[in-house]
Amino acid sequence: MKKGYVIGEYIIVSFFFLMLIVGVVSQLTETTAFEANKISSDLACKSAERLFRDVIDKPPVELTWKTDYNNFIAGTTSLTNLRKNWTHFGISTGNKYEVDYTALDFLINNVSLINFTQFLNTGESFKISHEVIGVDVGSIYSTKLDLTNKAPSAQIWMNATSGVASDNIVHNVLGIAAGSNASGARFETELFFPNATIIGTQNSSLDSGDLFTISNGSDGASLTVDFSIGGSDEDILYVAYTVNDTSVANWDSTWTTGSATFSDIEKITAKNNLITFRNLKFKNVSLDREYSIYLGNNTLAKGSFGAEQRDSSDHLCEYTRMYKIIGGTRLSSQSIVDSARVVNITPTFVAELSVLIGS
């Protein structure tokens, strides 16, 4: 065999093995990268699940924290002393899938992120957030907030039942308002009223760019709202709805005094109370900034605690579950057509709670 042929064959064989090695190394690198990403994602999800157990599913250990919190609100306890007495950052009521809104609100508005991470001995970058998707309307009966010439905020509440629809129909009136002292904010939401019919509306200060659409269907009524908020502007819409549009004279007196046909009225009012949100957003898009939306006059429909997660290259995991959120019980003086009553109400919501965490 000629020497040139031997060298040529050697070069070809060497090139073949070189290509084979490159292919194996490339595949090994891709597999290793995939496994590394999967491990990072798995670790993030395990961390998110652990945060659920350590915070959302556990009640505070300190039994007197609510008293301390109320003293803080009243001004007799400092925030520093309150934090000293906060021995666990749990927000559960003690019942499965039930969160204490007072504890959640304290976590969002008062707890230091540094103290929180040091207490749990965790270094992950995370965000705990909640968004209400359903509400017992009777539990958010309240007075209207003044939103004119204030920082952008919105409110959804049960209003006094009069003047929007026939007073002889057993119904609720829902108030929806958004206001701002600056231009650029936009309030959007879609509400669904199961098995109900919208029977009247009344608006105040709505401009040509403020829109709402009503659809009454066989399974219930839907309401879509889209308000564009200008400077020193407040948009208000009142919506009356019911699950039974039969005329019942003086039903308000019957219901508030417990007269003979009280149970008949009570059945309708109980069915009137559920509404759900399919979209809930109050935002300035150009500033990429979201604003507060209140249910009643002091409960945030959306909120978050923790660090923002903006880097798409992070190995993130979002762990989400539905919970019932229970607010603090309070006395409420309610005006129902021509009658009135004073009752204890407990704000009650269904919400999605999520933990977004990076490894």
mmCIF file of all heavy atoms in Angstrom, residues 1-47:
data_model
loop_
_atom_site.group_PDB
_atom_site.id
_atom_site.type_symbol
_atom_site.label_atom_id
_atom_site.label_comp_id
_atom_site.label_asym_id
_atom_site.label_seq_id
_atom_site.Cartn_x
_atom_site.Cartn_y
_atom_site.Cartn_z
ATOM 1 N N MET A 1 0.863 -1.196 0.000
ATOM 2 C CA MET A 1 0.000 0.000 0.000
ATOM 3 C C MET A 1 0.887 1.229 0.000
ATOM 4 O O MET A 1 1.895 1.291 0.700
ATOM 5 C CB MET A 1 -0.899 0.011 1.238
ATOM 6 C CG MET A 1 -1.859 1.184 1.258
ATOM 7 S SD MET A 1 -2.929 1.133 2.724
ATOM 8 C CE MET A 1 -3.931 -0.293 2.308
ATOM 9 N N LYS A 2 0.458 2.177 -0.791
ATOM 10 C CA LYS A 2 1.249 3.390 -0.872
ATOM 11 C C LYS A 2 1.110 4.221 0.391
ATOM 12 O O LYS A 2 0.040 4.252 1.000
ATOM 13 C CB LYS A 2 0.848 4.212 -2.093
ATOM 14 C CG LYS A 2 1.168 3.526 -3.422
ATOM 15 C CD LYS A 2 0.804 4.401 -4.573
ATOM 16 C CE LYS A 2 1.167 3.723 -5.901
ATOM 17 N NZ LYS A 2 0.818 4.565 -7.059
ATOM 18 N N LYS A 3 2.192 4.904 0.716
ATOM 19 C CA LYS A 3 2.236 5.713 1.931
ATOM 20 C C LYS A 3 1.187 6.811 1.921
ATOM 21 O O LYS A 3 0.546 7.114 2.928
ATOM 22 C CB LYS A 3 3.628 6.304 2.099
ATOM 23 C CG LYS A 3 3.818 7.050 3.399
ATOM 24 C CD LYS A 3 5.241 7.531 3.538
ATOM 25 C CE LYS A 3 5.452 8.269 4.831
ATOM 26 N NZ LYS A 3 6.826 8.775 4.973
ATOM 27 N N GLY A 4 0.911 7.404 0.777
ATOM 28 C CA GLY A 4 -0.077 8.496 0.691
ATOM 29 C C GLY A 4 -1.467 8.032 1.051
ATOM 30 O O GLY A 4 -2.236 8.744 1.703
ATOM 31 N N TYR A 5 -1.811 6.779 0.613
ATOM 32 C CA TYR A 5 -3.128 6.246 0.941
ATOM 33 C C TYR A 5 -3.289 6.039 2.443
ATOM 34 O O TYR A 5 -4.333 6.287 3.029
ATOM 35 C CB TYR A 5 -3.366 4.927 0.205
ATOM 36 C CG TYR A 5 -3.629 5.089 -1.261
ATOM 37 C CD1 TYR A 5 -2.935 4.318 -2.195
ATOM 38 C CD2 TYR A 5 -4.575 6.011 -1.714
ATOM 39 C CE1 TYR A 5 -3.171 4.458 -3.545
ATOM 40 C CE2 TYR A 5 -4.813 6.154 -3.074
ATOM 41 C CZ TYR A 5 -4.105 5.381 -3.996
ATOM 42 O OH TYR A 5 -4.322 5.519 -5.337
ATOM 43 N N VAL A 6 -2.233 5.546 3.085
ATOM 44 C CA VAL A 6 -2.268 5.302 4.540
ATOM 45 C C VAL A 6 -2.503 6.603 5.305
ATOM 46 O O VAL A 6 -3.330 6.687 6.212
ATOM 47 C CB VAL A 6 -0.961 4.624 5.010
ATOM 48 C CG1 VAL A 6 -0.937 4.529 6.534
ATOM 49 C CG2 VAL A 6 -0.810 3.255 4.370
ATOM 50 N N ILE A 7 -1.785 7.632 4.907
ATOM 51 C CA ILE A 7 -1.935 8.941 5.571
ATOM 52 C C ILE A 7 -3.348 9.482 5.358
ATOM 53 O O ILE A 7 -3.998 10.000 6.259
ATOM 54 C CB ILE A 7 -0.878 9.945 5.051
ATOM 55 C CG1 ILE A 7 0.529 9.480 5.446
ATOM 56 C CG2 ILE A 7 -1.158 11.351 5.587
ATOM 57 C CD1 ILE A 7 1.638 10.301 4.852
ATOM 58 N N GLY A 8 -3.839 9.312 4.103
ATOM 59 C CA GLY A 8 -5.195 9.806 3.803
ATOM 60 C C GLY A 8 -6.249 9.100 4.636
ATOM 61 O O GLY A 8 -7.175 9.718 5.170
ATOM 62 N N GLU A 9 -6.097 7.744 4.730
ATOM 63 C CA GLU A 9 -7.054 6.988 5.542
ATOM 64 C C GLU A 9 -6.967 7.415 7.010
ATOM 65 O O GLU A 9 -7.982 7.512 7.719
ATOM 66 C CB GLU A 9 -6.775 5.500 5.401
ATOM 67 C CG GLU A 9 -7.162 4.950 4.034
ATOM 68 C CD GLU A 9 -6.811 3.478 3.901
ATOM 69 O OE1 GLU A 9 -6.195 2.960 4.869
ATOM 70 O OE2 GLU A 9 -7.141 2.868 2.873
ATOM 71 N N TYR A 10 -5.791 7.668 7.470
ATOM 72 C CA TYR A 10 -5.597 8.099 8.870
ATOM 73 C C TYR A 10 -6.306 9.429 9.127
ATOM 74 O O TYR A 10 -6.968 9.608 10.147
ATOM 75 C CB TYR A 10 -4.095 8.213 9.155
ATOM 76 C CG TYR A 10 -3.800 8.751 10.531
ATOM 77 C CD1 TYR A 10 -3.903 7.936 11.671
ATOM 78 C CD2 TYR A 10 -3.421 10.085 10.703
ATOM 79 C CE1 TYR A 10 -3.637 8.436 12.930
ATOM 80 C CE2 TYR A 10 -3.150 10.591 11.953
ATOM 81 C CZ TYR A 10 -3.263 9.758 13.068
ATOM 82 O OH TYR A 10 -3.009 10.248 14.319
ATOM 83 N N ILE A 11 -6.167 10.337 8.162
ATOM 84 C CA ILE A 11 -6.809 11.647 8.315
ATOM 85 C C ILE A 11 -8.326 11.503 8.346
ATOM 86 O O ILE A 11 -9.020 12.101 9.157
ATOM 87 C CB ILE A 11 -6.368 12.590 7.185
ATOM 88 C CG1 ILE A 11 -4.873 12.937 7.327
ATOM 89 C CG2 ILE A 11 -7.218 13.881 7.187
ATOM 90 C CD1 ILE A 11 -4.314 13.710 6.149
ATOM 91 N N ILE A 12 -8.874 10.658 7.436
ATOM 92 C CA ILE A 12 -10.328 10.453 7.371
ATOM 93 C C ILE A 12 -10.844 9.839 8.660
ATOM 94 O O ILE A 12 -11.852 10.280 9.235
ATOM 95 C CB ILE A 12 -10.690 9.560 6.168
ATOM 96 C CG1 ILE A 12 -10.404 10.305 4.861
ATOM 97 C CG2 ILE A 12 -12.158 9.142 6.223
ATOM 98 C CD1 ILE A 12 -10.549 9.437 3.628
ATOM 99 N N VAL A 13 -10.150 8.792 9.147
ATOM 100 C CA VAL A 13 -10.571 8.131 10.397
ATOM 101 C C VAL A 13 -10.483 9.094 11.568
ATOM 102 O O VAL A 13 -11.379 9.172 12.414
ATOM 103 C CB VAL A 13 -9.724 6.863 10.658
ATOM 104 C CG1 VAL A 13 -10.011 6.314 12.056
ATOM 105 C CG2 VAL A 13 -10.011 5.815 9.598
ATOM 106 N N SER A 14 -9.392 9.865 11.614
ATOM 107 C CA SER A 14 -9.220 10.840 12.710
ATOM 108 C C SER A 14 -10.326 11.884 12.677
ATOM 109 O O SER A 14 -10.888 12.264 13.719
ATOM 110 C CB SER A 14 -7.850 11.527 12.604
ATOM 111 O OG SER A 14 -6.813 10.587 12.714
ATOM 112 N N PHE A 15 -10.662 12.364 11.460
ATOM 113 C CA PHE A 15 -11.724 13.364 11.312
ATOM 114 C C PHE A 15 -13.076 12.793 11.764
ATOM 115 O O PHE A 15 -13.862 13.447 12.434
ATOM 116 C CB PHE A 15 -11.803 13.823 9.852
ATOM 117 C CG PHE A 15 -12.842 14.874 9.608
ATOM 118 C CD1 PHE A 15 -12.636 16.188 10.010
ATOM 119 C CD2 PHE A 15 -14.037 14.536 8.977
ATOM 120 C CE1 PHE A 15 -13.600 17.148 9.783
ATOM 121 C CE2 PHE A 15 -15.000 15.486 8.757
ATOM 122 C CZ PHE A 15 -14.792 16.800 9.157
ATOM 123 N N PHE A 16 -13.328 11.515 11.417
ATOM 124 C CA PHE A 16 -14.577 10.860 11.816
ATOM 125 C C PHE A 16 -14.688 10.785 13.342
ATOM 126 O O PHE A 16 -15.723 11.116 13.918
ATOM 127 C CB PHE A 16 -14.627 9.450 11.214
ATOM 128 C CG PHE A 16 -15.773 8.624 11.732
ATOM 129 C CD1 PHE A 16 -17.074 8.831 11.278
ATOM 130 C CD2 PHE A 16 -15.556 7.647 12.703
ATOM 131 C CE1 PHE A 16 -18.131 8.081 11.767
ATOM 132 C CE2 PHE A 16 -16.606 6.891 13.191
ATOM 133 C CZ PHE A 16 -17.906 7.105 12.730
ATOM 134 N N PHE A 17 -13.603 10.357 13.988
ATOM 135 C CA PHE A 17 -13.626 10.266 15.452
ATOM 136 C C PHE A 17 -13.735 11.647 16.104
ATOM 137 O O PHE A 17 -14.369 11.819 17.141
ATOM 138 C CB PHE A 17 -12.379 9.524 15.950
ATOM 139 C CG PHE A 17 -12.529 8.032 15.925
ATOM 140 C CD1 PHE A 17 -11.918 7.283 14.949
ATOM 141 C CD2 PHE A 17 -13.305 7.379 16.883
ATOM 142 C CE1 PHE A 17 -12.070 5.898 14.914
ATOM 143 C CE2 PHE A 17 -13.447 6.009 16.857
ATOM 144 C CZ PHE A 17 -12.834 5.253 15.870
ATOM 145 N N LEU A 18 -13.109 12.640 15.462
ATOM 146 C CA LEU A 18 -13.208 13.999 15.987
ATOM 147 C C LEU A 18 -14.651 14.481 15.956
ATOM 148 O O LEU A 18 -15.158 15.051 16.924
ATOM 149 C CB LEU A 18 -12.305 14.934 15.168
ATOM 150 C CG LEU A 18 -12.323 16.417 15.591
ATOM 151 C CD1 LEU A 18 -11.820 16.561 17.015
ATOM 152 C CD2 LEU A 18 -11.473 17.244 14.638
ATOM 153 N N MET A 19 -15.336 14.233 14.818
ATOM 154 C CA MET A 19 -16.748 14.611 14.706
ATOM 155 C C MET A 19 -17.598 13.868 15.719
ATOM 156 O O MET A 19 -18.539 14.414 16.308
ATOM 157 C CB MET A 19 -17.244 14.341 13.275
ATOM 158 C CG MET A 19 -16.628 15.240 12.213
ATOM 159 S SD MET A 19 -16.996 16.983 12.489
ATOM 160 C CE MET A 19 -18.771 16.966 12.246
ATOM 161 N N LEU A 20 -17.291 12.594 15.920
ATOM 162 C CA LEU A 20 -18.035 11.785 16.890
ATOM 163 C C LEU A 20 -17.866 12.332 18.298
ATOM 164 O O LEU A 20 -18.833 12.457 19.063
ATOM 165 C CB LEU A 20 -17.561 10.335 16.815
ATOM 166 C CG LEU A 20 -18.282 9.330 17.733
ATOM 167 C CD1 LEU A 20 -19.762 9.254 17.349
ATOM 168 C CD2 LEU A 20 -17.633 7.950 17.640
ATOM 169 N N ILE A 21 -16.629 12.698 18.649
ATOM 170 C CA ILE A 21 -16.355 13.251 19.979
ATOM 171 C C ILE A 21 -17.071 14.577 20.171
ATOM 172 O O ILE A 21 -17.676 14.841 21.210
ATOM 173 C CB ILE A 21 -14.825 13.421 20.186
ATOM 174 C CG1 ILE A 21 -14.163 12.037 20.286
ATOM 175 C CG2 ILE A 21 -14.549 14.252 21.439
ATOM 176 C CD1 ILE A 21 -12.647 12.098 20.272
ATOM 177 N N VAL A 22 -17.025 15.433 19.121
ATOM 178 C CA VAL A 22 -17.717 16.727 19.195
ATOM 179 C C VAL A 22 -19.206 16.521 19.408
ATOM 180 O O VAL A 22 -19.856 17.199 20.216
ATOM 181 C CB VAL A 22 -17.462 17.560 17.917
ATOM 182 C CG1 VAL A 22 -18.387 18.779 17.877
ATOM 183 C CG2 VAL A 22 -16.012 17.999 17.857
ATOM 184 N N GLY A 23 -19.799 15.571 18.684
ATOM 185 C CA GLY A 23 -21.223 15.286 18.823
ATOM 186 C C GLY A 23 -21.580 14.801 20.205
ATOM 187 O O GLY A 23 -22.583 15.219 20.798
ATOM 188 N N VAL A 24 -20.750 13.901 20.729
ATOM 189 C CA VAL A 24 -21.010 13.375 22.080
ATOM 190 C C VAL A 24 -20.900 14.471 23.120
ATOM 191 O O VAL A 24 -21.743 14.609 24.013
ATOM 192 C CB VAL A 24 -20.030 12.214 22.399
ATOM 193 C CG1 VAL A 24 -20.131 11.837 23.876
ATOM 194 C CG2 VAL A 24 -20.329 11.017 21.523
ATOM 195 N N VAL A 25 -19.833 15.280 23.006
ATOM 196 C CA VAL A 25 -19.641 16.371 23.973
ATOM 197 C C VAL A 25 -20.782 17.370 23.885
ATOM 198 O O VAL A 25 -21.305 17.847 24.900
ATOM 199 C CB VAL A 25 -18.282 17.070 23.725
ATOM 200 C CG1 VAL A 25 -18.181 18.345 24.567
ATOM 201 C CG2 VAL A 25 -17.141 16.127 24.047
ATOM 202 N N SER A 26 -21.207 17.692 22.641
ATOM 203 C CA SER A 26 -22.313 18.639 22.448
ATOM 204 C C SER A 26 -23.591 18.114 23.072
ATOM 205 O O SER A 26 -24.299 18.834 23.762
ATOM 206 C CB SER A 26 -22.516 18.895 20.953
ATOM 207 O OG SER A 26 -23.636 19.732 20.747
ATOM 208 N N GLN A 27 -23.882 16.823 22.820
ATOM 209 C CA GLN A 27 -25.097 16.228 23.387
ATOM 210 C C GLN A 27 -25.017 16.182 24.895
ATOM 211 O O GLN A 27 -25.993 16.458 25.600
ATOM 212 C CB GLN A 27 -25.280 14.805 22.815
ATOM 213 C CG GLN A 27 -26.557 14.109 23.310
ATOM 214 C CD GLN A 27 -27.796 14.847 22.860
ATOM 215 O OE1 GLN A 27 -27.869 15.332 21.741
ATOM 216 N NE2 GLN A 27 -28.778 14.973 23.747
ATOM 217 N N LEU A 28 -23.814 15.838 25.409
ATOM 218 C CA LEU A 28 -23.622 15.788 26.859
ATOM 219 C C LEU A 28 -23.821 17.165 27.471
ATOM 220 O O LEU A 28 -24.453 17.313 28.527
ATOM 221 C CB LEU A 28 -22.221 15.253 27.175
ATOM 222 C CG LEU A 28 -21.862 15.128 28.679
ATOM 223 C CD1 LEU A 28 -22.811 14.147 29.356
ATOM 224 C CD2 LEU A 28 -20.413 14.688 28.847
ATOM 225 N N THR A 29 -23.314 18.211 26.781
ATOM 226 C CA THR A 29 -23.465 19.585 27.273
ATOM 227 C C THR A 29 -24.926 19.999 27.304
ATOM 228 O O THR A 29 -25.409 20.577 28.274
ATOM 229 C CB THR A 29 -22.669 20.566 26.390
ATOM 230 O OG1 THR A 29 -21.300 20.176 26.374
ATOM 231 C CG2 THR A 29 -22.797 21.986 26.895
ATOM 232 N N GLU A 30 -25.667 19.679 26.205
ATOM 233 C CA GLU A 30 -27.082 20.028 26.144
ATOM 234 C C GLU A 30 -27.874 19.297 27.221
ATOM 235 O O GLU A 30 -28.733 19.862 27.884
ATOM 236 C CB GLU A 30 -27.637 19.688 24.761
ATOM 237 C CG GLU A 30 -27.137 20.606 23.661
ATOM 238 C CD GLU A 30 -27.709 20.218 22.302
ATOM 239 O OE1 GLU A 30 -28.566 19.311 22.256
ATOM 240 O OE2 GLU A 30 -27.291 20.810 21.297
ATOM 241 N N THR A 31 -27.557 17.995 27.385
ATOM 242 C CA THR A 31 -28.256 17.191 28.408
ATOM 243 C C THR A 31 -27.967 17.729 29.792
ATOM 244 O O THR A 31 -28.861 17.882 30.634
ATOM 245 C CB THR A 31 -27.828 15.719 28.315
ATOM 246 O OG1 THR A 31 -28.122 15.236 27.012
ATOM 247 C CG2 THR A 31 -28.574 14.871 29.340
ATOM 248 N N THR A 32 -26.689 18.066 30.039
ATOM 249 C CA THR A 32 -26.303 18.596 31.353
ATOM 250 C C THR A 32 -26.994 19.926 31.624
ATOM 251 O O THR A 32 -27.481 20.174 32.730
ATOM 252 C CB THR A 32 -24.775 18.771 31.429
ATOM 253 O OG1 THR A 32 -24.158 17.516 31.144
ATOM 254 C CG2 THR A 32 -24.363 19.252 32.814
ATOM 255 N N ALA A 33 -27.049 20.789 30.585
ATOM 256 C CA ALA A 33 -27.715 22.092 30.741
ATOM 257 C C ALA A 33 -29.199 21.901 31.031
ATOM 258 O O ALA A 33 -29.777 22.578 31.891
ATOM 259 C CB ALA A 33 -27.519 22.935 29.490
ATOM 260 N N PHE A 34 -29.839 20.950 30.304
ATOM 261 C CA PHE A 34 -31.264 20.686 30.520
ATOM 262 C C PHE A 34 -31.498 20.183 31.942
ATOM 263 O O PHE A 34 -32.415 20.630 32.641
ATOM 264 C CB PHE A 34 -31.763 19.648 29.508
ATOM 265 C CG PHE A 34 -33.155 19.143 29.800
ATOM 266 C CD1 PHE A 34 -34.263 19.920 29.471
ATOM 267 C CD2 PHE A 34 -33.343 17.921 30.418
ATOM 268 C CE1 PHE A 34 -35.550 19.465 29.749
ATOM 269 C CE2 PHE A 34 -34.623 17.457 30.706
ATOM 270 C CZ PHE A 34 -35.729 18.233 30.368
ATOM 271 N N GLU A 35 -30.648 19.231 32.368
ATOM 272 C CA GLU A 35 -30.796 18.678 33.715
ATOM 273 C C GLU A 35 -30.554 19.757 34.764
ATOM 274 O O GLU A 35 -31.237 19.809 35.795
ATOM 275 C CB GLU A 35 -29.824 17.506 33.922
ATOM 276 C CG GLU A 35 -30.166 16.273 33.100
ATOM 277 C CD GLU A 35 -31.511 15.690 33.496
ATOM 278 O OE1 GLU A 35 -31.918 15.854 34.653
ATOM 279 O OE2 GLU A 35 -32.166 15.079 32.635
ATOM 280 N N ALA A 36 -29.580 20.639 34.503
ATOM 281 C CA ALA A 36 -29.296 21.716 35.456
ATOM 282 C C ALA A 36 -30.486 22.655 35.574
ATOM 283 O O ALA A 36 -30.869 23.074 36.671
ATOM 284 C CB ALA A 36 -28.049 22.487 35.022
ATOM 285 N N ASN A 37 -31.087 23.003 34.411
ATOM 286 C CA ASN A 37 -32.276 23.868 34.430
ATOM 287 C C ASN A 37 -33.429 23.200 35.157
ATOM 288 O O ASN A 37 -34.157 23.829 35.915
ATOM 289 C CB ASN A 37 -32.697 24.214 33.003
ATOM 290 C CG ASN A 37 -31.769 25.212 32.347
ATOM 291 O OD1 ASN A 37 -31.081 25.955 33.033
ATOM 292 N ND2 ASN A 37 -31.721 25.219 31.033
ATOM 293 N N LYS A 38 -33.585 21.895 34.900
ATOM 294 C CA LYS A 38 -34.673 21.154 35.542
ATOM 295 C C LYS A 38 -34.458 21.103 37.051
ATOM 296 O O LYS A 38 -35.392 21.293 37.832
ATOM 297 C CB LYS A 38 -34.755 19.736 34.979
ATOM 298 C CG LYS A 38 -35.962 18.942 35.473
ATOM 299 C CD LYS A 38 -36.042 17.609 34.775
ATOM 300 C CE LYS A 38 -37.318 16.861 35.199
ATOM 301 N NZ LYS A 38 -37.406 16.656 36.648
ATOM 302 N N ILE A 39 -33.221 20.861 37.465
ATOM 303 C CA ILE A 39 -32.921 20.827 38.900
ATOM 304 C C ILE A 39 -33.201 22.184 39.532
ATOM 305 O O ILE A 39 -33.805 22.272 40.606
ATOM 306 C CB ILE A 39 -31.448 20.413 39.125
ATOM 307 C CG1 ILE A 39 -31.263 18.934 38.759
ATOM 308 C CG2 ILE A 39 -31.032 20.651 40.580
ATOM 309 C CD1 ILE A 39 -29.819 18.493 38.722
ATOM 310 N N SER A 40 -32.760 23.271 38.849
ATOM 311 C CA SER A 40 -33.009 24.614 39.372
ATOM 312 C C SER A 40 -34.493 24.894 39.500
ATOM 313 O O SER A 40 -34.959 25.459 40.483
ATOM 314 C CB SER A 40 -32.354 25.662 38.466
ATOM 315 O OG SER A 40 -30.954 25.539 38.480
ATOM 316 N N SER A 41 -35.276 24.504 38.465
ATOM 317 C CA SER A 41 -36.726 24.706 38.504
ATOM 318 C C SER A 41 -37.359 23.898 39.625
ATOM 319 O O SER A 41 -38.237 24.382 40.335
ATOM 320 C CB SER A 41 -37.345 24.323 37.158
ATOM 321 O OG SER A 41 -36.853 25.150 36.133
ATOM 322 N N ASP A 42 -36.907 22.648 39.774
ATOM 323 C CA ASP A 42 -37.442 21.792 40.839
ATOM 324 C C ASP A 42 -37.142 22.387 42.211
ATOM 325 O O ASP A 42 -37.986 22.370 43.118
ATOM 326 C CB ASP A 42 -36.859 20.384 40.746
ATOM 327 C CG ASP A 42 -37.421 19.607 39.556
ATOM 328 O OD1 ASP A 42 -38.439 20.057 39.003
ATOM 329 O OD2 ASP A 42 -36.837 18.576 39.190
ATOM 330 N N LEU A 43 -35.923 22.901 42.377
ATOM 331 C CA LEU A 43 -35.551 23.506 43.654
ATOM 332 C C LEU A 43 -36.418 24.732 43.937
ATOM 333 O O LEU A 43 -36.850 24.953 45.069
ATOM 334 C CB LEU A 43 -34.073 23.896 43.647
ATOM 335 C CG LEU A 43 -33.060 22.748 43.718
ATOM 336 C CD1 LEU A 43 -31.655 23.276 43.530
ATOM 337 C CD2 LEU A 43 -33.184 21.990 45.041
ATOM 338 N N ALA A 44 -36.668 25.540 42.880
ATOM 339 C CA ALA A 44 -37.512 26.723 43.046
ATOM 340 C C ALA A 44 -38.918 26.321 43.460
ATOM 341 O O ALA A 44 -39.527 26.938 44.341
ATOM 342 C CB ALA A 44 -37.541 27.540 41.756
ATOM 343 N N CYS A 45 -39.456 25.278 42.830
ATOM 344 C CA CYS A 45 -40.818 24.835 43.160
ATOM 345 C C CYS A 45 -40.895 24.271 44.571
ATOM 346 O O CYS A 45 -41.884 24.480 45.285
ATOM 347 C CB CYS A 45 -41.305 23.807 42.147
ATOM 348 S SG CYS A 45 -41.661 24.518 40.520
ATOM 349 N N LYS A 46 -39.849 23.555 44.980
ATOM 350 C CA LYS A 46 -39.825 23.045 46.354
ATOM 351 C C LYS A 46 -39.759 24.191 47.354
ATOM 352 O O LYS A 46 -40.396 24.160 48.411
ATOM 353 C CB LYS A 46 -38.645 22.097 46.542
ATOM 354 C CG LYS A 46 -38.830 20.745 45.865
ATOM 355 C CD LYS A 46 -37.630 19.843 46.079
ATOM 356 C CE LYS A 46 -37.839 18.498 45.386
ATOM 357 N NZ LYS A 46 -36.653 17.616 45.542
ATOM 358 N N SER A 47 -39.002 25.234 47.012
ATOM 359 C CA SER A 47 -38.913 26.405 47.884
ATOM 360 C C SER A 47 -40.248 27.124 47.962
ATOM 361 O O SER A 47 -40.666 27.593 49.022
ATOM 362 C CB SER A 47 -37.831 27.360 47.374
ATOM 363 O OG SER A 47 -36.556 26.766 47.438
#
